[in-house]
Amino acid sequence: MPENQDQNLQKLLAMALDRSVKGRETLARTIGSLFSNEEKALSELERALMTDILGKLISDVEILVRKALSDELSSANTVPHELILMLANDEIEVARPILMDSPIIEDEDLVDIIKTRTHQHQLSIAMRNDISSEVSDALINTGHKDVIKTLLENHSAEITTLTLEYLSEQSRRIDDFQEPLINRRDLPLYLAERMYWWVSAALRSHILRNFPVDIQDLDNRIQSGVHKLIDRDRLTAPQEKPATALARKLNKDKKLTTAALVQSLRQGEIELFEAMFCEMSGFRLDGLRKALYKTKGEGVAILCLAMGIPKQMFATIFLLSRKGHPEGQTTDPRDLSRAMLIYDKVSVDDAKLIADSWRMDPSYQNAVSKLSSPPDVQKITGGAQATS
């Protein structure tokens, strides 16, 4: 055995015989310093002896000493795994630095600690950098709201899409999950959209219960705000389609007219027609197509009447849009007659109200309808939903 190594061991053994608090503290700090000093290569005998001494020492020293040792070893890469595990299972004051920072502790260890140790141990693990999805799932399975919230706020934690779906659904009833979920960079866009809509629906119900407001104006403002949020989140969305860009430019240049709308149909430019109609009406594409093509003529009549499109042009739009639609819509003469009758009989104000209810985003309508609201709110909102 080299002379220096023998001297080190003799020194450690001599220190171990000192059972005073000060002696124990000196020994713990000395061994911790040796373990954390990566420039000093320890022999297998030294490592084994120090681990054995510390293993016997840990339960025998003041918690402040054990905490000092834990602080010393929390970032070290050369500490024996069994020693780190012993500290990680200690009281939380000792365990916290290890649970939050130690590179030695493994996922399996963390999962076991989550299952067997205290709430505070779980919180410390939730703040750890680069948590795996396995550890994240174990933390979520505790069911502790503050642990889950802390995990969600830890943007370095890996959380599977399936787990994010579960948590986004849970956030319907647990408000604390909402903001940290929305702020996560790994939250899929479809979940962000879903959350925006039902959180907005919950806000809508609260406002209707507590304030005398114009429901239609409230819905319009909520939808406008959510669409802005969704558009903000579409970081990887495809570029705007040429037809949409052209319709937007025509509108900006004040050249988006009913005549231009009809002309696009005559030329067979159905995509441009739809983009122009969306720009003129304020509809989103899916809602517009539903109103135009999924009804027996009443949809076109209501939209044209609400937009102030003359009767003759309305009839032209009805026939050409059916003829040119990609799904090959067939025109039943009775549909045109029914549409003309609706155009004549329905007032402009009623047509605008109906169009507004159709314009409401389907995701928002669905969120409102699913929300458990008091009977008075359901009564207030029921009519507009039924119209759609």
Side-chain angles (χ1 to χ4, degrees):
M1 178 183 299
E3 184 177 351
N4 286 342
Q5 180 178 319
D6 182 56
Q7 290 176 351
N8 287 337
L9 293 178
Q10 293 298 327
K11 183 179 178 181
L12 288 174
L13 289 171
M15 292 172 65
L17 295 175
D18 184 351
R19 295 185 174 275
S20 68
V21 172
K22 185 177 180 179
R24 290 288 192 252
E25 182 177 358
T26 302
L27 176 59
R29 289 185 181 278
T30 300
I31 295 179
S33 178
L34 288 170
F35 270 130
S36 60
N37 185 0
E38 296 183 9
E39 296 180 1
K40 176 177 174 57
L42 298 174
S43 70
E44 287 299 320
L45 181 58
E46 286 176 319
R47 291 168 61 86
L49 179 60
M50 287 190 292
T51 301
D52 183 60
I53 291 173
L54 280 178
K56 294 174 180 177
L57 182 68
I58 280 177
S59 60
D60 189 39
V61 297
E62 295 289 332
I63 191 170
L64 290 176
V65 177
R66 303 204 303 275
K67 184 181 183 306
L69 177 64
S70 179
D71 288 335
E72 187 75 37
L73 299 181
S74 61
S75 58
N77 291 299
T78 56
V79 187
H81 175 259
E82 60 270 26
L83 176 56
I84 289 295
L85 199 55
M86 193 180 306
L87 293 169
N89 278 278
D90 205 325
E91 296 182 46
I92 187 58
E93 290 84 354
V94 178
R96 185 177 288 113
I98 300 296
L99 296 176
M100 291 181 61
D101 298 319
S102 176
I104 302 296
I105 199 163
E106 300 173 354
D107 285 352
E108 185 179 353
D109 304 324
L110 294 171
V111 171
D112 286 341
I113 291 169
I114 290 167
K115 291 178 179 179
T116 60
R117 299 297 289 139
T118 72
H119 186 193
Q120 292 299 314
H121 285 72
Q122 296 165 358
L123 278 170
S124 297
I125 294 173
M127 290 185 280
R128 182 181 174 88
N129 286 331
D130 300 319
I131 298 172
S132 71
S133 59
E134 179 187 3
V135 175
S136 292
D137 284 346
L139 288 167
I140 291 164
N141 286 337
T142 66
H144 293 146
K145 295 177 186 178
D146 55 345
V147 171
I148 297 172
K149 181 175 182 288
T150 301
L151 174 69
L152 290 172
E153 291 170 340
N154 181 352
H155 289 187
S156 70
E158 181 183 351
I159 306 178
T160 65
T161 299
L162 188 63
T163 301
L164 287 172
E165 285 186 355
Y166 166 76
L167 290 176
S168 66
E169 189 64 29
Q170 289 293 302
S171 66
R172 286 179 183 270
R173 61 181 183 82
I174 305 175
D175 294 347
D176 287 349
F177 294 175
Q178 293 171 8
E179 184 176 352
L181 269 169
I182 288 293
N183 287 331
R184 286 195 66 86
R185 293 184 294 272
D186 55 354
L187 185 73
L189 179 59
Y190 73 93
L191 288 180
E193 289 185 23
R194 185 187 302 172
M195 287 187 63
Y196 283 144
W197 284 125
W198 65 251
V199 169
S200 301
L203 175 63
R204 175 189 198 267
S205 293
H206 173 78
I207 292 173
L208 291 179
R209 287 196 300 269
N210 294 280
F211 302 95
V213 296
D214 181 325
I215 299 173
Q216 183 179 337
D217 181 64
L218 176 62
D219 282 334
N220 290 339
R221 290 180 181 277
I222 286 176
Q223 289 181 92
S224 175
V226 174
H227 283 142
K228 287 178 182 177
L229 289 170
I230 291 173
D231 290 342
R232 181 202 69 187
D233 284 345
R234 294 185 189 277
L235 300 178
T236 58
Q239 293 294 316
E240 186 175 59
K241 292 184 177 180
T244 303
L246 177 56
R248 192 159 302 188
K249 186 177 187 306
L250 289 171
N251 192 27
K252 183 179 179 181
D253 296 341
K254 301 188 184 305
K255 296 179 180 179
L256 189 56
T257 63
T258 304
L261 197 65
V262 172
Q263 184 181 358
S264 67
L265 278 173
R266 292 191 186 282
Q267 294 174 345
E269 298 285 351
I270 299 299
E271 187 176 0
L272 178 59
F273 160 73
E274 292 177 341
M276 292 168 70
F277 212 141
C278 284
E279 191 70 21
M280 292 175 70
S281 65
F283 268 69
R284 294 174 81 82
L285 185 58
D286 53 351
L288 177 72
R289 284 176 172 171
K290 183 178 179 181
L292 286 178
Y293 309 126
K294 303 300 182 183
T295 63
K296 292 183 178 296
E298 62 268 26
V300 187
I302 292 296
L303 292 183
C304 289
L305 187 58
M307 293 168 64
I309 294 175
K311 185 175 180 179
Q312 184 177 356
M313 283 195 168
F314 144 65
T316 302
I317 289 172
F318 174 83
L319 292 171
L320 291 179
S321 63
R322 292 284 169 124
K323 180 180 178 181
H325 188 256
E327 294 181 6
Q329 292 274 60
T330 57
T331 304
D332 187 327
R334 291 172 297 182
D335 291 348
L336 178 58
S337 298
R338 182 186 300 107
M340 296 292 282
L341 181 63
I342 289 172
Y343 189 96
D344 288 334
K345 296 296 183 183
V346 176
S347 71
V348 173
D349 287 342
D350 286 344
K352 288 180 178 179
L353 286 173
I354 295 169
D356 280 340
S357 73
W358 287 346
R359 191 181 287 110
M360 189 184 294
D361 193 291
S363 298
Y364 181 50
Q365 288 178 309
N366 186 52
V368 170
S369 65
K370 284 187 175 181
L371 195 67
S372 177
S373 301
D376 59 327
V377 176
Q378 292 177 350
K379 183 178 180 180
I380 291 171
T381 60
Q385 293 167 24
T387 309
S388 64

